[in-house]
Amino acid sequence: MDNRSDIWLGVDAIKPRFVALSDRVWAMPEVCYTEARSAAEHLAELRHQGFRITENVADIPTALMGEWGEGGPVIAFLGEYDALPGLSQEAGVAEPRPLEAGGHGHGCGHNLLGSAALLAATAVKDWLAANKAPGRVRYYGCPAEEGGAAKTFMVRSGAFADADIAITWHPNSFWEVAVTPSLANTRADFVFTGRASHAAASPHLGRSALDAVELMNVGVNYMRASTCRATPAFTMPCSIPAALPPMWCRPTPACAIRSVPAICPA
């Protein structure tokens, strides 16, 4: 039995609402664990479509689940809606044109990812209802995919324990069913502490934490070829050339080594 025609007719019928949802989320980019407005938009659409709502999944304020149906298999669709820092961008322009200098933006297309996953869940729900078929459809709103690992905490809490299948997708430049494996990653914070001194008069009294950062960076780069994948990114902790900075500060959340500026002595 081929159900594709009915499914696609249903998708076309409800698509405008989800295109509008995607546009709204694009216009309110929120990063890792701060997606309050984006999550609220998805919750509102889930309620409109008749899903039963569960909020604060795994005690994460911006994680959510909508469920419809009874019995049968549990079909889960996974959506995301977090943005990336520093990628503010005017829509429909194929060159860098930030709306806000240094602002957030959906450079990875998660405004599309969440809304289209919810569209798919709704289309399957409507087909099951029309055909009086058993089954439960779930939409999981998964925050903090970019460096926050929220799905890990959701799995640990048992949110997916009774799901029979979990389906997701990602925006790309072409259509495909991806069969390549993904890479798991973890985050580690490193703090490098040195000793400040005057770079001209007494450099021998200083201990540059930046030297340690550079040595670690070189070592990680050699490891990347065979044993690990990481993308270090650094910002200079001090713009005063006469001072050796004492500290290379705590990294910001990322799946790599990333640091933020330190406060330099006067």
Side-chain angles (χ1 to χ4, degrees):
M1 181 177 179
D2 187 349
N3 301 315
R4 286 176 296 176
S5 296
D6 290 345
I7 285 287
W8 283 111
L9 287 172
V11 167
D12 289 341
I14 62 177
K15 181 173 67 176
R17 289 192 61 90
F18 297 92
V19 172
L21 172 61
S22 173
D23 289 344
R24 291 196 300 275
V25 174
W26 168 274
M28 55 176 71
E30 299 166 299
V31 297
C32 191
Y33 290 117
T34 68
E35 315 93 332
R37 292 181 298 162
S38 301
E41 291 288 342
H42 284 77
L43 282 169
E45 188 60 34
L46 284 164
R47 291 190 174 99
H48 176 81
Q49 299 295 343
F51 285 83
R52 301 184 294 273
I53 302 298
T54 301
E55 299 185 58
N56 298 306
V57 176
D59 295 324
I60 301 172
T62 52
L64 56 97
M65 184 187 73
E67 183 179 63
W68 178 94
E70 303 292 342
V74 177
I75 307 166
F77 292 87
L78 276 56
E80 299 164 10
Y81 29 75
D82 57 326
L84 285 162
L87 291 182
S88 175
Q89 175 65 22
E90 181 180 337
V93 178
E95 62 182 23
R97 192 179 297 174
L99 294 173
E100 176 188 353
H104 308 325
H106 279 285
C108 210
H110 289 186
N111 58 303
L112 297 165
L113 200 166
S115 59
L118 182 48
L119 166 58
T122 303
V124 172
K125 179 262 294 184
D126 291 346
W127 185 91
L128 291 174
N131 289 274
K132 297 181 172 55
R136 281 179 286 167
V137 179
R138 288 181 185 166
Y139 172 80
Y140 288 88
C142 306
E145 190 273 339
E146 301 287 0
K151 291 187 192 69
T152 304
F153 300 111
M154 295 169 72
V155 168
R156 189 172 67 183
S157 74
F160 304 103
D162 59 345
D164 292 289
I165 185 172
I167 305 168
T168 191
W169 78 291
H170 201 284
N172 204 340
S173 56
F174 55 88
W175 293 99
E176 68 168 343
V177 177
V179 295
T180 54
S182 297
L183 291 174
N185 71 76
T186 188
R187 164 186 157 180
D189 290 351
F190 300 89
V191 177
F192 298 88
T193 304
R195 182 188 304 157
S197 68
H198 195 279
S202 54
H204 58 288
L205 298 179
R207 298 293 182 269
S208 174
L210 179 57
D211 288 350
V213 172
E214 291 177 333
L215 287 169
M216 183 174 182
N217 182 36
V218 170
V220 168
N221 278 326
Y222 279 113
M223 291 175 65
R224 290 174 67 188
S226 58
T227 59
C228 74
R229 293 189 183 183
T231 306
F234 308 103
T235 56
M236 289 303 295
C238 185
S239 60
I240 305 171
L244 291 178
M247 180 174 289
W248 197 254
C249 273
R250 178 179 300 277
T252 56
C255 54
I257 308 163
R258 187 176 177 87
S259 54
V260 294
I263 299 175
C264 294

